[in-house]
Coordinates of all heavy atoms in Angstrom, one line a residue:
L364 N -14.2 13.5 -10.1 CA -13.1 14.1 -9.4 C -12.0 14.6 -10.3 O -11.4 15.7 -10.1 CB -12.6 13.2 -8.3 CG -13.5 12.9 -7.2 CD1 -12.9 11.9 -6.1 CD2 -14.1 14.1 -6.5
A365 N -11.7 13.8 -11.3 CA -10.7 14.2 -12.3 C -11.1 15.5 -13.0 O -10.3 16.4 -13.1 CB -10.4 13.1 -13.3
A366 N -12.3 15.5 -13.4 CA -12.8 16.8 -14.1 C -12.6 18.0 -13.2 O -12.1 19.0 -13.7 CB -14.3 16.6 -14.5
R367 N -13.0 17.8 -11.9 CA -12.8 19.0 -11.0 C -11.4 19.3 -10.9 O -11.0 20.5 -10.9 CB -13.4 18.6 -9.6 CG -13.3 19.7 -8.6 CD -14.4 20.7 -8.7 NE -14.4 21.6 -9.9 CZ -13.7 22.7 -10.0 NH1 -13.0 23.2 -9.0 NH2 -13.8 23.5 -11.1
A368 N -10.5 18.3 -10.8 CA -9.1 18.6 -10.6 C -8.5 19.4 -11.8 O -7.6 20.1 -11.7 CB -8.3 17.3 -10.4
Y369 N -9.1 19.2 -13.0 CA -8.7 19.9 -14.2 C -9.5 21.2 -14.4 O -9.4 21.8 -15.4 CB -8.8 19.0 -15.4 CG -7.7 18.0 -15.5 CD1 -7.9 16.7 -15.1 CD2 -6.5 18.4 -16.0 CE1 -6.8 15.8 -15.1 CE2 -5.4 17.5 -16.0 CZ -5.6 16.2 -15.6 OH -4.6 15.3 -15.6
G370 N -10.3 21.5 -13.4 CA -11.0 22.8 -13.4 C -12.3 22.8 -14.1 O -12.9 23.8 -14.5
Y371 N -12.9 21.6 -14.3 CA -14.2 21.5 -15.0 C -15.2 20.9 -14.0 O -14.8 20.4 -12.9 CB -14.0 20.7 -16.3 CG -13.3 21.5 -17.3 CD1 -11.9 21.4 -17.4 CD2 -13.9 22.4 -18.1 CE1 -11.2 22.2 -18.3 CE2 -13.2 23.2 -19.0 CZ -11.8 23.1 -19.1 OH -11.1 23.9 -19.9
D372 N -16.4 20.9 -14.4 CA -17.5 20.5 -13.5 C -18.4 19.4 -14.2 O -18.3 19.2 -15.4 CB -18.4 21.7 -13.2 CG -17.5 22.7 -12.6 OD1 -17.1 22.6 -11.4 OD2 -17.1 23.7 -13.3
T373 N -19.1 18.7 -13.3 CA -19.9 17.6 -13.8 C -21.3 17.5 -13.2 O -21.5 18.2 -12.1 CB -19.2 16.2 -13.5 OG1 -18.9 16.2 -12.0 CG2 -17.9 16.1 -14.2
C374 N -22.2 16.7 -13.7 CA -23.4 16.3 -13.0 C -23.7 14.9 -13.3 O -23.8 14.5 -14.5 CB -24.6 17.2 -13.5 SG -26.1 16.9 -12.5
P375 N -23.8 14.0 -12.3 CA -24.2 12.7 -12.5 C -25.7 12.6 -12.7 O -26.4 13.4 -12.0 CB -23.8 11.9 -11.3 CG -23.8 13.0 -10.2 CD -23.6 14.3 -10.8
M376 N -26.2 11.9 -13.7 CA -27.6 11.8 -13.9 C -28.1 10.4 -14.0 O -27.6 9.6 -14.7 CB -28.0 12.6 -15.2 CG -27.7 14.1 -15.1 SD -28.0 14.9 -16.7 CE -26.7 14.3 -17.7
E377 N -29.2 10.2 -13.3 CA -30.0 8.9 -13.5 C -31.4 9.2 -14.1 O -32.1 8.3 -14.3 CB -30.0 8.1 -12.2 CG -30.8 8.8 -11.1 CD -30.8 8.0 -9.8 OE1 -30.2 6.9 -9.7 OE2 -31.3 8.6 -8.8
G378 N -31.7 10.5 -14.2 CA -33.0 10.9 -14.8 C -32.9 10.8 -16.3 O -32.7 11.9 -16.9
F379 N -33.0 9.6 -16.8 CA -33.0 9.5 -18.3 C -33.8 8.3 -18.7 O -34.0 7.4 -17.9 CB -31.5 9.4 -18.8 CG -30.7 8.3 -18.3 CD1 -30.8 7.0 -18.7 CD2 -29.9 8.6 -17.2 CE1 -30.0 6.0 -18.2 CE2 -29.1 7.6 -16.6 CZ -29.2 6.3 -17.1
D380 N -34.1 8.2 -20.0 CA -34.9 7.1 -20.5 C -33.8 6.1 -21.0 O -33.2 6.3 -22.1 CB -35.7 7.6 -21.7 CG -36.6 6.5 -22.3 OD1 -36.1 5.4 -22.3 OD2 -37.7 6.9 -22.8
S381 N -33.6 5.1 -20.2 CA -32.5 4.1 -20.6 C -32.8 3.4 -21.9 O -31.8 3.1 -22.6 CB -32.3 3.1 -19.4 OG -33.5 2.4 -19.2
A382 N -34.0 3.1 -22.2 CA -34.3 2.4 -23.5 C -33.9 3.3 -24.7 O -33.3 2.8 -25.6 CB -35.8 2.1 -23.5
R383 N -34.2 4.6 -24.6 CA -33.8 5.5 -25.7 C -32.3 5.6 -25.8 O -31.8 5.6 -26.9 CB -34.5 6.9 -25.5 CG -35.9 6.9 -25.9 CD -36.5 8.3 -25.8 NE -37.7 8.4 -26.6 CZ -38.9 7.9 -26.2 NH1 -39.0 7.2 -25.1 NH2 -39.9 8.0 -27.0
V384 N -31.6 5.7 -24.7 CA -30.2 5.9 -24.7 C -29.6 4.6 -25.3 O -28.7 4.6 -26.1 CB -29.6 6.2 -23.3 CG1 -28.1 6.3 -23.3 CG2 -30.2 7.5 -22.8
K385 N -30.0 3.4 -24.8 CA -29.5 2.2 -25.3 C -29.7 2.0 -26.8 O -28.8 1.6 -27.5 CB -30.2 1.0 -24.6 CG -29.7 0.8 -23.2 CD -30.4 -0.4 -22.5 CE -30.1 -0.5 -21.0 NZ -30.8 -1.5 -20.4
R386 N -30.9 2.5 -27.3 CA -31.2 2.4 -28.7 C -30.2 3.3 -29.5 O -29.6 2.9 -30.5 CB -32.6 2.7 -28.9 CG -33.2 2.1 -30.1 CD -34.7 2.4 -30.3 NE -35.5 2.2 -29.1 CZ -36.3 3.1 -28.6 NH1 -36.5 4.3 -29.2 NH2 -37.1 2.9 -27.6
A387 N -30.1 4.5 -29.0 CA -29.3 5.5 -29.7 C -27.8 5.1 -29.8 O -27.2 5.3 -30.9 CB -29.4 6.9 -29.0
L388 N -27.3 4.4 -28.8 CA -25.9 4.1 -28.8 C -25.7 2.6 -29.2 O -24.6 2.1 -29.2 CB -25.3 4.3 -27.4 CG -25.3 5.7 -26.9 CD1 -24.7 5.8 -25.5 CD2 -24.6 6.7 -27.8
K389 N -26.8 1.9 -29.6 CA -26.8 0.5 -30.0 C -26.1 -0.3 -28.9 O -25.2 -1.1 -29.2 CB -26.1 0.4 -31.3 CG -26.8 1.1 -32.5 CD -26.1 0.8 -33.8 CE -26.8 1.4 -35.0 NZ -26.9 2.8 -35.1
L390 N -26.5 -0.2 -27.7 CA -25.9 -0.9 -26.6 C -26.4 -2.4 -26.6 O -27.5 -2.6 -26.9 CB -26.1 -0.3 -25.2 CG -25.6 1.2 -25.0 CD1 -25.9 1.7 -23.6 CD2 -24.1 1.2 -25.3
P391 N -25.5 -3.3 -26.2 CA -26.0 -4.7 -26.2 C -26.9 -5.0 -25.0 O -27.1 -4.2 -24.1 CB -24.6 -5.5 -26.0 CG -23.7 -4.5 -25.4 CD -24.1 -3.1 -25.8
G392 N -27.6 -6.1 -25.1 CA -28.6 -6.5 -24.1 C -28.2 -6.5 -22.7 O -29.0 -6.3 -21.8

Side-chain angles (χ1 to χ4, degrees):
L364 294 181
R367 181 81 292 274
Y369 283 97
Y371 291 90
D372 302 285
T373 55
C374 186
M376 292 176 289
E377 64 187 355
F379 56 83
D380 180 331
S381 59
R383 280 184 161 73
V384 178
K385 286 180 187 176
R386 210 178 308 131
L388 300 177
K389 299 188 174 61
L390 298 182

